[in-house]
Amino acid sequence: MLTDEKFIKKLFDIAEVLDNDFRYKIVAAVVYKNKIISIGYCELKTHSFQKQYAKNEHSIYWHAETRAIHSASKLLTKRQFKKCTLYVCRGKIENNKCVHGNSKPCTGCESAIADFEIPRVVYSNTTYYDYEIMEK
């Protein structure tokens, strides 16, 4: 199995069992040297780190991407972030089943990705996964 598929599958498995009150379950992971450094998920909990990347006043709750980046920032240097990949996976509930959904990061999360200079983002779409290479 390809590395990207492996990480997206792992995140989807987490999304399937994630207990939250959303119709969708988004899980993100910062990966450095093929090891997951941190995992983040959406939660109705505010944080100053998320607030600085909020695209509007209602987006102050944790996004999976910013939560994963914030957690990784406690373990990685700026230089190490430049060698990371951010994986993002959305599981959405359809007919009582969790299926893949588009998890392209929002503009606020894209700002955090740019600030931490993460060069590569792999995110799920409705057909399984897709790649996006973030430009610096």
Side-chain angles (χ1 to χ4, degrees):
M1 180 181 289
L2 298 173
T3 302
D4 291 332
E5 287 182 47
K6 178 182 83 172
F7 286 118
I8 289 293
K9 181 178 179 346
K10 185 177 289 261
L11 293 181
F12 185 75
D13 291 345
I14 294 169
E16 281 188 302
V17 298
L18 189 63
D19 186 23
N20 66 15
D21 295 326
F22 300 114
R23 293 183 323 272
Y24 56 87
K25 302 165 183 217
I26 301 175
V27 181
V30 173
V31 174
Y32 178 68
K33 293 187 176 181
N34 283 326
K35 293 183 181 159
I36 293 176
I37 301 302
S38 65
I39 292 177
Y41 55 90
C42 295
E43 186 178 25
L44 288 176
K45 184 176 179 183
T46 62
H47 193 280
S48 58
F49 185 84
Q50 173 60 44
K51 188 175 181 181
Q52 77 185 32
Y53 293 109
K55 59 185 179 181
N56 62 52
E57 63 188 45
H58 303 292
S59 295
I60 60 171
Y61 302 107
W62 274 124
H63 289 206
E65 301 92 327
T66 52
R67 192 170 195 175
I69 291 168
H70 180 262
S71 294
S73 72
K74 297 175 182 178
L75 304 168
L76 299 175
T77 65
K78 275 286 220 184
R79 176 177 259 176
Q80 289 171 316
F81 268 106
K82 293 178 182 183
K83 297 177 183 176
C84 288
T85 297
L86 178 69
Y87 290 90
V88 189
C89 185
R90 175 190 294 246
K92 59 183 184 173
I93 306 302
E94 288 183 359
N95 300 321
N96 293 322
K97 185 178 178 191
C98 194
V99 298
H100 285 276
N102 188 332
S103 62
K104 183 175 181 181
C106 69
T107 56
C109 290
E110 284 181 356
S111 294
I113 292 163
D115 283 355
F116 283 83
E117 300 183 54
I118 299 172
R120 188 163 179 269
V121 177
V122 178
Y123 59 90
S124 67
N125 67 23
T126 56
T127 58
Y128 191 53
Y129 73 94
D130 198 0
Y131 297 92
E132 179 166 320
I133 298 173
M134 306 300 284
E135 299 291 331
K136 290 184 186 178

